[in-house]
Amino acid sequence: MKDAQPRAIYLKDYQAPDYWIDTTDLTFDLFEDHALVTSVLGLRRNEDRGQDTPDLTLVGIDLELISVCVDGSELTSDQYILGSESLTIPVTSKAFSLTVVTRIRPQENTSLEGLYKSNGMFCTQCEAEGFRKITYYLDRPDVMSKFTTKVIADKGRYPVLLSNGNDIARGEFEGGRHWVTWEDPFKKPSYLFALVGGDLEVVEDSFTTASGRDVALRIFTESHNIDKCDHAMLSLKKSMKWDEEVYGREYDLDIFMIVAVDHFNMGAMENKGLNIFNSSCVLASPETATDASYQRIEAIVAHEYFHNWSGNRVTCRDWFQLSLKEGFTVFRDAEFSADMNSRGVKRIEDASLLKTAQFAEDAGPMAHPIRPQSFIEISNFYTLTIYEKGCEVVRMIQTIVGKDNFRKGSDLYFDRFDGKAATCEDFVKAMEDASGVDLGQFRHWYNQAGTPVVTLTDGFDQESGQYALTIAQSCPATPGQDTKLPFHIPVAIALLDKGGKALPLNEAGETERVLHVTAAEETWTFEGLAEKPLPSILRNFSAPVRVKYDYSREDLVFLMKHDSDGYNRWDAGQRLATAVIEDLVDGLLKEKDTEIDSRLIEAFGVVLADEGLDKAVKAEMLKLPSEASLAEQAEEIHPLQICESRSRVRKAIAEAHKDKLLALYQALELKGEYRPEAGDIAKRTLI
C-alpha cells in the first residue's frame, strides 16, 4: 500500500549508493498488449560505503515481476522481498550479475512516464524518475552505467526501432518480427535512457567534426511532417559547430538522432544521442511558421544538443543539483542564440522574461533557491528559477572571472567530471581553480531565494571633481529564509557626460566597469570629472536584481537617446513610455485632458533616425510596453484606460514621425524567397 502522506527529501540527507551498476543490458520484447523487459545488471559494491555487502534494494513502480536471477541462478520468491515499489535482494558478494524480467503494459501507461504507447508508437520519457516504471533499478542520477539495448517488435507495425548509442546489430525473426541492438559506450544515468518504436520517416545528413570524424544525423518524424525538418537539421549542424568553436566540445557518437512527433508529452528531452521532441519544437515550414517559431526551434534544438556535455557526459549528482545542468545549458543556448541572431535583442528578451515571470516566482509562496534544500516531488522544481535564474547565475560567474577564465573553468569542469555525476559546488570550484578568483560569497546565489534589491545614490563635488556612487543591497524574506546574507553582485556601469559619451573609468581608458557589490552598502569614488555624470546602471542586465535609482524623466529621455548599451537604452525607453502612459491613465480616471509628454515623442524620433542602431534592437525600442506589462506595474489595474492611453501614445508617435516611418518601411523592402536568417528577421521585425 502506498504511503498517502508525501515525504520530503532533503539535500542534507544525501548518501551515495551502496552499489554501482557498471553495465546495463536491456532487451525489450514489444507486443500489442504488453512488453517483456529483461535487464542484466553488472553490479559492484561501492567501497566508499564500506566493505560489507548490505542488501540491494531497487525501485520499481507498476511492474509485474516474472523472475530474478543472481549470477545465473534463479531465486525463489522467498529469497527476495517484493514491495509495492521495491525489490530487495540479499547480497553475498561485492560484484555480481543480476537478471530481472518484468512485464509492463505501455498501452495502459497514462502517466506518460517510462515506456508508453501513444498514437501507435512506443516512446519513453524517463526524466526525472520514469525509468523505475520500466524495470527495477537504482533510478537516481548518480548511478551511471554503460547501456546496451536490444529492441524486438513487429516489423510491419514498427519498422523503426531506436535507442541510445550506436546501431551495432540488427536482424529478423520468423513471424515478421525484427530486432535492433544499440550500444552506448558512454556511462549515463537511467533518466537519459530512450527507446522509440514506430512507423516513422527519416531525413538524413552528416556532420564532420573538428577532428575529422563523420557523424550521421537523422531526424525521424511522421510522414505528414517529413517536409518540415530542414530548419531543425540546419540548426543542429550550427549547434555542433558552435559547441566545438566556443567550448571545444565535439560530439562523441557515430550517430545523432532526433525524433519529432506530434504526441510526445514533453517539449523536448536530451536523451543521450536520441533527443525526443514534440513536433512543435522542431518542425517548421515558411507557409505556416513565424520568424519567432524558427528562432525558437533553433534555440531548443541547440539546448538539447548542448546537454550532450552539460548534462549527459557530466550529469547532476542528485536532483537538488538540477540547475547544474539546466542553468548552465540555458546559458549556453542563450549565447548560441545571441551569436546566431541579435545579441542585443536576446538580452532584452531574456531579461524581460526574468523580470516579469521569474521575479514574480521569487516573490511568491513557492520561492526557492536555484539549489533547493528539500522537495517532495522533483517535477515541481522544473521552474523559471532553476532554468532562467540558474542561467543568470552562470552568466554572473562569467562576468566576475572573465570570458577567457570562464572557458578555462568549463574545460576543467568537463575534464574533471567526464563520465561522473557532479554538484553545483563542483562547477563553482572548477571556475575558482581555473581563474584564481574567490567565489566563496558568490555561493549565496545557490542557497538563498528571492530577488535582491540594489539601491543606488550618488553625489558630485564640483570643486574636487569627485563623483561618489553608493550601492546598498537587500533581499526580501522568502518562505523559510527570513534573513539573507549579502550576495556578490556584479553591477556593470558606465558614466555618461552631458553629450552622451561614456567617460573613461580607469587609466586604460575603459568606459565600462563592473562594481563587485559584496557588502550591505559600499561606495565607489571617481575622480577628475568636470561635471556630474549620469550613471548607466546594470548594463547588459549584469545581475538578476531589481534596481532603484532616482532617474528623472529627463534622465530617461537622455538614456533612451544616447546610451550605448542596448539593454539599458531599451529599458529607459520602456520606463519612460510607462510613465507617460500612466499619466494618461490617471488623467482619464480623473476626467482630465492630459497632454502626452512631448519628450517621449522626440526620443522616438532620435531612435528612428539612428542608422547605427542594430535593426532588431531598433524594432524592440519602437515597441511600447504591452498592456500586460503596464497592468503588472499598476497598483490598480484599469484595462480600458490602459488600452486607450497606450493607443493614444502609439497614434501620436505615428503621426509625429510618419515620414520617417514610411521611409524606413520603404528602405526595408524584402525580395525573394523567405529566409529565416538574422538580417532578414531583423528587417521583418522592424517593418
Side-chain angles (χ1 to χ4, degrees):
M1 181 176 179
K2 293 183 179 180
D3 187 356
Q5 182 64 38
R7 182 176 62 88
I9 300 171
Y10 294 90
L11 172 59
K12 62 182 177 62
D13 294 335
Y14 169 82
Q15 290 185 341
D18 288 328
Y19 294 91
W20 300 117
I21 303 177
D22 291 324
T23 58
T24 300
D25 294 322
L26 300 171
T27 299
F28 289 82
D29 220 349
L30 305 178
F31 298 95
E32 292 311 292
D33 60 347
H34 73 283
L36 289 176
V37 181
T38 302
S39 71
V40 182
L41 310 180
L43 289 121
R44 170 174 52 89
R45 172 64 168 149
N46 178 2
E47 295 184 355
D48 292 339
R49 299 279 290 156
Q51 295 299 312
D52 56 343
T53 54
D55 291 349
L56 169 68
T57 297
L58 307 174
V59 293
I61 297 178
D62 298 331
L63 306 176
E64 179 186 342
L65 182 62
I66 305 299
S67 64
V68 180
C69 295
V70 175
D71 288 333
S73 297
E74 185 169 353
L75 304 185
T76 59
S77 60
D78 61 349
Q79 291 179 295
Y80 54 80
I81 300 172
L82 182 62
S84 61
E85 296 184 358
S86 64
L87 174 64
T88 301
I89 301 165
V91 176
T92 58
S93 59
K94 294 181 180 179
F96 57 97
S97 173
L98 174 68
T99 302
V100 178
V101 180
T102 56
R103 178 181 284 111
I104 58 177
R105 302 188 185 280
Q107 299 82 353
E108 300 173 9
N109 182 1
T110 56
S111 72
L112 305 183
E113 294 179 310
L115 177 65
Y116 63 91
K117 190 176 183 184
S118 178
N119 198 33
M121 189 181 90
F122 288 98
C123 191
T124 55
Q125 172 55 39
C126 293
E127 187 177 354
E129 296 177 335
F131 193 77
R132 61 191 62 188
K133 294 188 176 184
I134 292 175
T135 186
Y136 289 99
Y137 204 78
L138 293 175
D139 187 16
R140 45 188 289 173
D142 56 350
V143 175
M144 301 178 71
S145 180
K146 292 184 178 180
F147 280 69
T148 301
T149 305
K150 184 176 183 179
V151 189
I152 307 168
D154 180 88
K155 187 174 183 179
R157 288 190 174 97
Y158 313 104
V160 173
L161 303 175
L162 308 174
S163 191
N164 312 85
N166 299 318
D167 173 355
I168 61 170
R170 60 178 59 232
E172 297 187 12
F173 294 124
E174 292 183 2
R177 293 176 69 76
H178 70 136
W179 58 271
V180 182
T181 299
W182 297 86
E183 180 184 65
D184 187 350
F186 299 99
K187 293 166 64 177
K188 67 173 179 286
S190 56
Y191 82 85
L192 291 172
F193 173 78
L195 181 152
V196 171
D199 186 2
L200 301 171
E201 294 192 25
V202 63
V203 172
E204 299 187 71
D205 206 330
S206 65
F207 179 81
T208 303
T209 69
S211 64
R213 289 190 309 106
D214 288 330
V215 178
L217 308 179
R218 295 173 188 164
I219 299 179
F220 294 87
T221 190
E222 291 134 326
S223 59
H224 64 276
N225 284 328
I226 197 65
D227 61 338
K228 302 174 184 175
C229 298
D230 291 349
H231 182 64
M233 185 67 80
L234 179 61
S235 299
L236 174 59
K237 295 170 76 171
K238 287 181 179 180
S239 305
M240 298 175 80
K241 188 173 188 295
W242 185 89
D243 212 16
E244 289 182 345
E245 294 175 348
V246 177
Y247 281 89
R249 300 294 113 188
E250 277 196 21
Y251 184 64
D252 44 17
L253 294 170
D254 298 333
I255 183 173
F256 186 90
M257 297 174 288
I258 288 175
V259 172
V261 289
D262 294 341
H263 52 275
F264 181 57
N265 62 308
M266 301 280 283
M269 180 61 207
E270 72 267 18
N271 314 297
K272 177 69 178 178
L274 178 56
N275 291 182
I276 304 178
F277 293 73
N278 183 278
S279 58
S280 65
C281 299
V282 176
L283 306 176
S285 67
E287 290 77 17
T288 57
T290 64
D291 287 333
S293 297
Y294 275 96
Q295 290 178 318
R296 175 173 174 265
I297 288 167
E298 183 179 69
I300 294 174
V301 169
H303 179 93
E304 305 308 332
Y305 173 76
F306 295 152
H307 265 311
N308 189 63
W309 278 93
S310 50
N312 296 3
R313 286 284 288 261
V314 181
T315 196
C316 49
R317 185 194 71 180
D318 52 70
W319 291 117
F320 296 99
Q321 321 295 330
L322 180 58
S323 191
L324 175 70
K325 75 181 185 78
E326 295 300 347
F328 187 21
T329 305
V330 170
F331 173 72
R332 277 154 52 75
D333 84 55
E335 287 296 289
F336 167 78
S337 294
D339 284 344
M340 296 301 108
N341 299 285
S342 167
R343 179 165 290 274
V345 169
K346 180 60 179 170
R347 198 69 195 117
I348 289 169
E349 292 173 345
D350 290 348
S352 298
L353 175 62
L354 207 78
K355 291 168 70 175
T356 56
Q358 194 281 319
F359 282 10
E361 191 169 275
D362 259 350
M366 292 300 292
H368 57 277
I370 65 168
R371 181 174 55 192
Q373 297 302 303
S374 67
F375 63 78
I376 293 176
E377 171 54 60
I378 183 56
S379 297
N380 293 334
F381 277 98
Y382 284 76
T383 61
L384 288 168
T385 297
I386 298 296
Y387 281 70
E388 306 304 329
K389 187 174 182 178
C391 162
E392 294 304 315
V393 169
V394 174
R395 185 181 299 278
M396 284 190 290
I397 292 176
Q398 178 178 267
T399 299
I400 291 169
V401 305
K403 288 187 177 181
D404 291 343
N405 282 330
F406 184 85
R407 167 62 193 272
K408 292 176 183 177
S410 67
D411 286 347
L412 182 59
Y413 168 70
F414 289 131
D415 290 344
R416 278 181 177 173
F417 299 102
D418 188 9
K420 299 177 183 178
T423 65
C424 296
E425 173 62 28
D426 292 328
F427 180 79
V428 177
K429 188 66 168 60
M431 291 296 166
E432 277 185 326
D433 291 346
S435 67
V437 176
D438 181 3
L439 296 173
Q441 185 176 349
F442 185 82
R443 287 168 170 81
H444 294 327
W445 284 102
Y446 286 91
N447 303 320
Q448 296 184 158
T451 302
V453 178
V454 173
T455 303
L456 297 94
T457 55
D458 59 356
F460 179 65
D461 187 316
Q462 185 70 53
E463 185 175 339
S464 65
Q466 188 178 83
Y467 173 74
L469 184 65
T470 298
I471 304 180
Q473 63 163 299
S474 62
C475 188
T478 53
Q481 292 183 340
D482 293 334
T483 59
K484 308 294 175 69
L485 296 171
F487 291 86
H488 180 171
I489 305 173
V491 178
I493 69 157
L495 302 180
L496 308 184
D497 66 16
K498 63 181 181 181
K501 181 180 178 182
L503 298 169
L505 301 179
N506 55 28
E507 293 182 357
E510 294 177 331
T511 56
E512 181 171 304
R513 178 177 169 186
V514 175
L515 305 182
H516 296 274
V517 182
T518 57
E521 183 173 300
E522 298 175 75
T523 298
W524 284 263
T525 302
F526 302 88
E527 309 279 353
L529 303 183
E531 59 191 15
K532 182 181 179 181
L534 182 65
S536 171
I537 303 165
L538 206 71
R539 292 166 71 80
N540 202 40
F541 197 66
S542 61
V545 300
R546 297 183 188 272
V547 174
K548 290 186 177 180
Y549 178 79
D550 191 19
Y551 281 121
S552 67
R553 193 168 292 190
E554 193 61 43
D555 291 337
L556 295 175
V557 171
F558 185 85
L559 291 172
M560 186 178 175
K561 289 180 178 179
H562 301 294
D563 201 333
S564 61
D565 183 76
Y567 169 77
N568 272 10
R569 190 175 182 185
W570 168 85
D571 185 58
Q574 293 290 294
R575 293 169 66 178
L576 177 62
T578 298
V580 171
I581 293 171
E582 286 175 346
D583 285 349
L584 300 182
V585 170
D586 186 60
L588 287 172
L589 293 172
K590 295 177 180 178
E591 298 183 350
K592 292 169 54 180
D593 185 15
T594 306
E595 291 188 6
I596 297 173
D597 192 329
S598 61
R599 291 173 294 184
L600 176 65
I601 309 297
E602 179 193 353
F604 265 86
V606 172
V607 171
L608 274 168
D610 189 346
E611 295 183 358
L613 182 61
D614 175 0
K615 289 183 176 60
V617 172
K618 180 179 286 190
E620 292 298 319
M621 291 198 66
L622 293 176
K623 295 177 185 177
L624 290 172
S626 67
E627 292 172 359
S629 174
L630 292 164
E632 286 171 359
Q633 298 176 69
E635 291 185 9
E636 291 185 17
I637 301 174
H638 302 281
L640 295 179
Q641 289 79 6
I642 288 174
C643 180
E644 182 178 342
S645 299
R646 185 177 182 275
S647 296
R648 184 180 165 195
V649 171
R650 191 164 180 253
K651 182 179 180 181
I653 293 169
E655 289 176 344
H657 302 297
K658 64 179 181 180
D659 292 339
K660 291 180 181 177
L661 288 166
L662 180 60
L664 179 62
Y665 174 79
Q666 291 173 337
L668 291 171
E669 183 181 0
L670 285 167
K671 297 180 180 180
E673 294 184 358
Y674 173 85
R675 298 182 306 168
E677 296 180 0
D680 285 4
I681 290 175
K683 290 180 180 179
R684 280 191 292 270
T685 305
L686 192 50
I687 291 173

